[in-house]
Each structure stands twice: as C-alpha cells, then as structure tokens.
Amino acid sequence: MIGRLRGVLAEVGEAECLIDCAGVGYVVSCGARTLGRLPAPGDEATVHVHSQWSEDAGPRLYGFLTRDERRAFTTLLAIQGVGPKAALAVLDVLPPGELASAVAREDKAAVARANGVGPKLALRIVTELKGKPLGDVGFAPVAPGMHVEIAPPVPSITGEAVSALLGLGVAEVNARRAVDQALIRLGEEAELSAVIRAALQELGR
C-alpha cells in the first residue's frame, strides 16, 4: 500500500495530478484545495496518499499535503454514505481544524456547503464524528442543549507566514503554495523567520 509519494509534479488537472517518481507516473486524485496548493509543474512535490482498490476501477490513489488531511479523509470514508468524492468536497470547504470546530458546534450548515453533501448527510457526518480523533485535534462530544464556545484558533506558522507574504504584496494563492513548500522542506517545527525566508526563495525573491 502506498502511503506517500515524492517526485516531480508532471501535470495538474481539474481533479488529479500526475507525479513522476523515478520514471513511474502516478495519477493521484486530489481535492481542489490540495491542487491549488501544489508547486508548479516541474517542481518536486510530496503528497500523503490514501490507497483504495476496487474490482471495477482497480487501484486509486488520493493525495493530501498533510497527514491530518489524509486522516480526516479516511475518517470521513468510514461514515455511511460518504464516498471519496464527498470526503474530498468536505475537506475543500473545511480543513481538518475547521471541520473539528464545526462538529463541536454541531454546525451542519457548514458541512453542507460541500459540493454534493445535502442536509441529511451533513447531519450524519456531524453526528458520527463526535468524539473521534483527527490528528492533533479531536471532535469533542457535545451534550444536547449544551452551549459550546469555541476559542479563537491559535495563529499557526502557516497563517503567520502567509500573512507576512501578503503584506509584501504576494498573491494569496502564491503565498500559500510557497509556504506549504517551505514547510515540506523545513518541517512543521521550523521557526517563522526561517519559513518566511524559505517561502521567499520558493517565489524566486
């Protein structure tokens, strides 16, 4: 089973990308959010992969830029009625941390913003995710009638680095892509200043 791919990003399509690993091209299905954060074709890319096999379609690979996104995807797939397409759609509108917050608030409307996810399926997702872990965050169970106050999220290295680049006049999509690549190179524990410098190098500045 393939868990991660690292190679040259050869092509990016509407719903998938092609990664060349030592001469072998792997077609990886991705959500729009992941595709928009990939490096430019020709650059090196690393994706965390969930592998699926079916008799009709054979092997299918689904790619994500972080382990938490992959784990959220597999957690969503365990819910009845949620297939790969719906799981990717949910993560397109709600990254793992925001999905955890929506579940804690019982915010079915936020989940229903995902393409192809109706109110009934959104309710099932919110109900079944309560109490389930998701990477570094969990879906806390909420008692009926209980008022939940969600603390504002702690600024992340990614968010602060992107904000710094935006302040320098970099377009948001380019800023996020550069920061993501910098974190892949330096690791999640890197200092903010180092991430900003590496991101500027990615942008060719």
Side-chain angles (χ1 to χ4, degrees):
M1 181 178 292
I2 297 173
R4 188 180 71 170
L5 288 174
R6 181 178 181 181
V8 175
L9 182 64
E11 299 175 14
V12 178
E14 291 185 3
E16 61 193 23
C17 65
L18 178 66
I19 299 181
D20 187 327
C21 300
V24 179
Y26 293 88
V27 176
V28 184
S29 298
C30 303
R33 184 170 172 272
T34 296
L35 291 171
R37 292 153 60 210
L38 287 170
D43 290 346
E44 184 178 85
T46 300
V47 292
H48 299 275
V49 171
H50 172 80
S51 305
Q52 248 190 8
W53 175 273
S54 68
E55 293 185 2
D56 296 334
R60 194 77 181 265
L61 305 179
Y62 297 90
F64 309 89
L65 292 184
T66 69
R67 293 183 184 88
D68 275 353
E69 290 171 343
R70 181 180 63 188
R71 183 170 182 180
F73 179 76
T74 57
T75 302
L76 285 165
L77 287 183
I79 299 173
Q80 182 182 2
V82 178
K85 188 174 181 179
L88 290 175
V90 170
L91 292 174
D92 273 345
V93 298
L94 293 171
E98 294 179 27
L99 179 57
S101 295
V103 170
R105 297 193 307 269
E106 296 187 326
D107 190 350
K108 303 178 290 294
V111 179
R113 289 184 359 236
N115 188 30
V117 176
K120 290 184 179 179
L121 184 55
L123 174 60
R124 185 180 303 147
I125 289 171
V126 168
T127 301
E128 295 198 22
L129 287 183
K130 288 178 186 175
K132 292 186 178 179
L134 175 68
D136 293 331
V137 293
F139 300 111
V142 180
M146 177 180 177
H147 176 68
V148 178
E149 291 187 2
I150 304 298
V154 177
S156 65
I157 288 288
T158 300
E160 291 187 70
V162 169
S163 294
L165 294 182
L166 292 177
L168 295 173
V170 179
E172 183 174 358
V173 63
N174 295 332
R176 290 191 178 280
R177 180 181 298 159
V179 170
D180 286 335
Q181 289 304 305
L183 286 171
I184 288 171
R185 241 188 329 136
L186 300 176
E188 299 290 337
E189 304 301 320
E191 295 287 336
L192 175 61
S193 58
V195 173
I196 293 173
R197 283 196 302 271
L200 287 172
Q201 290 173 1
E202 292 286 339
L203 291 166
R205 297 194 173 197

